[in-house]
Amino acid sequence: MDYKQASDNDLWQCCQQDDMHAYNELFSRYYPRMLQLARRYVRDAMSAEELCMDQLFHLWVKRAEITIATSFSGYLFRSVRNRIISEMRRNIPVMADLDELQEDAQLDRSSDYRLLSREAEHAYRQVLNELSPQRRQVFMLSREENLTYPEIARRMNLSVNTVENYMVAALSCLRKNLKEKVPSAVIPLLLLSDFTNTLL
């Protein structure tokens, strides 16, 4: 088998049959991109590396139990985002934007927190729908599928510079409008995009 040319799904099936070579290929493909995602929100480089390594190690250890119904990349990046969100919830000092968390009420799993989560989800969807169609699509491809700017550019038949401009504009608009609707501490979690899926 040519592991370099194999699809993610084929490699994952091999992993489930205890093929370490297939796992190593998936690791090589995705660890750098996972780390890039983690470093957006984790101040300490070593903590970001440990988070990604732990997630990939968990993938190998639980390979016989994990069922991936969607794309492998989608599953992997959702799991990393969820892990980051969990760490941020626990107020670990190395996480970005934790100074803002201290200014707001404690965001625990109380009924108040769940109410805030529902309100935040509504505000997020409302603001997201106010974006132009292309800005919204660029943002969702970046956050939900974790595509790079060149990958988004190819998908949408745009230049990389245009994609970058759309993303900057989308983030600026989202941050500005969300500040008027939800506590500032919640905004970094909302912009991870899996926030509402993991809270409710």
Side-chain angles (χ1 to χ4, degrees):
M1 179 179 186
D2 186 345
Y3 293 100
K4 295 292 184 183
Q5 299 299 321
S7 69
D8 292 343
N9 288 339
D10 287 343
L11 290 172
W12 175 241
Q13 289 178 6
C14 290
C15 284
Q16 293 186 303
Q17 298 171 12
D18 304 331
D19 188 335
M20 179 64 76
H21 294 294
Y23 172 77
N24 288 339
E25 175 59 28
L26 287 172
F27 185 100
S28 297
R29 288 183 188 183
Y30 286 102
Y31 176 73
R33 290 173 62 184
M34 291 171 64
L35 185 58
Q36 183 180 37
L37 172 62
R39 289 292 290 123
R40 292 180 192 170
Y41 301 95
V42 181
R43 288 194 181 122
D44 181 69
M46 185 174 294
S47 296
E49 292 172 4
E50 288 177 355
L51 186 151
C52 295
M53 293 286 286
D54 286 349
Q55 197 62 41
L56 285 166
F57 180 68
H58 171 81
L59 190 72
W60 174 254
V61 171
K62 298 293 184 180
R63 62 192 181 280
E65 304 169 23
I66 295 175
T67 300
I68 300 178
T70 58
S71 70
F72 178 83
S73 62
Y75 171 87
L76 193 59
F77 288 115
R78 278 193 298 274
S79 69
V80 174
R81 290 191 185 100
N82 292 346
R83 178 72 176 272
I84 293 170
I85 290 169
S86 295
E87 297 296 323
M88 292 181 77
R89 280 202 203 110
R90 286 199 290 270
N91 292 345
I92 290 179
V94 297
M95 294 300 164
D97 300 296
L98 293 185
D99 290 340
E100 292 183 22
L101 285 176
Q102 295 173 359
E103 298 173 3
D104 296 289
Q106 290 295 320
L107 299 183
D108 55 22
R109 287 191 172 273
S110 64
S111 58
D112 289 341
Y113 179 43
R114 291 186 177 276
L115 176 61
L116 174 60
S117 301
R118 288 193 292 270
E119 292 173 348
E121 178 190 17
H122 177 75
Y124 171 73
R125 296 300 175 189
Q126 184 180 46
V127 173
L128 190 62
N129 287 333
E130 292 172 359
L131 295 175
S132 69
Q134 284 197 308
R135 287 180 181 177
R136 182 168 59 250
Q137 186 177 2
V138 166
F139 179 82
M140 299 304 286
L141 287 173
S142 172
R143 289 300 185 263
E144 291 198 349
E145 298 188 32
N146 210 63
L147 297 184
T148 63
Y149 289 169
E151 289 170 338
I152 295 172
R154 288 194 294 271
R155 175 83 65 90
M156 297 181 64
N157 196 27
L158 299 170
S159 70
V160 174
N161 186 60
T162 298
V163 169
E164 291 176 350
N165 290 337
Y166 279 159
M167 193 64 181
V168 169
L171 286 169
S172 176
C173 181
L174 286 166
R175 289 192 181 103
K176 177 182 177 181
N177 292 335
L178 284 171
K179 282 182 180 179
E180 302 172 0
K181 300 175 184 295
V182 299
S184 59
V186 176
I187 293 174
L189 300 180
L190 283 171
L191 296 183
L192 276 166
S193 94
D194 281 330
F195 171 76
T196 52
N197 292 334
T198 60
L199 294 187
L200 302 177

